[in-house]
Amino acid sequence: NAGVTQTPKFQVLKTGQSMTLQCAQDMNHEYMSWYRQDPGMGLRLIHYSVGAGITDQGEVPNGYNVSRSTTEDFPLRLLSAAPSQTSVYFCASSPAGTGTYEQYFGPGTRLTVT
Amino acid sequence: TQLLEQSPQFLSIQEGENLTVYCNSSSVFSSLQWYRQEPGEGPVLLVTVVTGGEVKKLKRLTFQFGDARKDSSLHITAAQPGDTGLYLCAGFMDSNYQLIWGAGTKLIIKP
């Protein structure tokens, strides 16, 4: 099993550009989440999904869109990149039914917006 | 706003020393997770504690959940350079299905 995969590993965007960060998992997990990690601020939840066709906003959703058409894939779209979105982005998945919501993370995408 | 405060934020010690990292909140959690993150990688789950007062051991790492399920600690005995990394705690609240993250403790173990 590959676990959670993310592409690209690194990306540089100019202000105003749009792009999609890809995330896929092969563990048949129902729950998937997108986080951003900034120095000294820990992990902040952007969007999450409890199953195919269902998404919801997290703590910092502005400027980002998600969709969940399949159990495996959960792409994150930046609509119009801003320097404040420079960060490291992590996708995570979690199996339902454990009662503890343990997260399995991908390797991350380091995004720089100039 | 629910907060989970980790301390210290940064710790640099010599190989062989002992250390403790703390995770504190005013909120009650149904469970608490500890993760370790190495540079350029995603966090990896170390342990989940569920019951108040629970103690779990993972080799030289000892995790404890407070009796009131509001706090947790991670104790490392005889630290080794391989323990270097960012340690994150996360508390799960099943009342609103939220995972609350601490800001992390950056640990450096010098040979």
Side-chain angles (χ1 to χ4, degrees):
Chain A
N1 285 354
V4 180
T5 57
Q6 291 184 239
T7 56
K9 183 73 172 174
F10 301 94
Q11 183 69 51
V12 179
L13 291 178
K14 294 186 176 180
T15 297
Q17 288 184 318
S18 62
M19 78 159 296
T20 299
L21 307 185
Q22 300 293 343
C23 175
Q25 53 96 5
D26 61 0
M27 298 175 284
N28 203 33
H29 287 172
E30 288 85 352
Y31 303 142
M32 296 187 74
S33 304
W34 275 102
Y35 294 90
R36 59 178 290 174
Q37 186 175 39
D38 302 291
M41 300 188 72
L43 290 162
R44 291 186 291 170
L45 183 65
I46 304 171
H47 286 285
Y48 65 98
S49 169
V50 298
I54 305 170
T55 63
D56 208 343
Q57 296 181 351
E59 179 186 358
V60 288
N62 292 341
Y64 308 94
N65 274 355
V66 292
S67 60
R68 185 99 180 268
S69 56
T70 66
T71 299
E72 294 78 18
D73 300 300
F74 192 42
L76 177 73
R77 283 183 291 278
L78 278 70
L79 309 173
S80 177
S84 61
Q85 293 180 304
T86 293
S87 188
V88 182
Y89 291 85
F90 289 100
C91 179
S93 70
S94 178
T98 64
T100 53
Y101 203 35
E102 294 163 347
Q103 306 282 288
Y104 294 78
F105 285 88
T109 295
R110 184 174 293 273
L111 176 68
T112 302
V113 182
T114 60
Chain B
T1 303
Q2 296 137 347
L3 292 174
L4 196 52
E5 296 184 357
Q6 272 189 254
S7 61
Q9 290 184 318
F10 179 78
L11 188 58
S12 178
I13 62 172
Q14 292 293 137
E15 180 178 3
E17 294 184 12
N18 301 333
L19 66 107
T20 302
V21 176
Y22 298 93
C23 196
N24 294 296
S25 178
S26 58
S27 301
V28 176
F29 298 108
S30 56
S31 64
L32 195 134
Q33 303 159 21
W34 285 92
Y35 295 78
R36 180 166 67 207
Q37 183 180 18
E38 300 191 17
E41 299 181 7
V44 175
L45 180 69
L46 295 174
V47 78
T48 301
V49 284
V50 179
T51 306
E54 182 177 5
V55 176
K56 281 192 174 179
K57 293 192 174 184
L58 190 65
K59 297 183 180 178
R60 293 173 293 98
L61 279 61
T62 301
F63 304 85
Q64 184 162 7
F65 202 12
D67 291 341
R69 292 184 287 131
K70 295 181 179 182
D71 55 86
S72 181
S73 64
L74 158 60
H75 182 78
I76 301 179
T77 303
Q80 298 179 2
D83 296 327
T84 292
L86 179 68
Y87 288 80
L88 295 160
C89 62
F92 179 57
M93 308 183 76
D94 59 11
S95 57
N96 55 10
Y97 226 80
Q98 275 198 15
L99 196 59
I100 309 299
W101 291 88
T105 294
K106 187 172 183 180
L107 177 63
I108 295 176
I109 310 300
K110 295 176 284 188

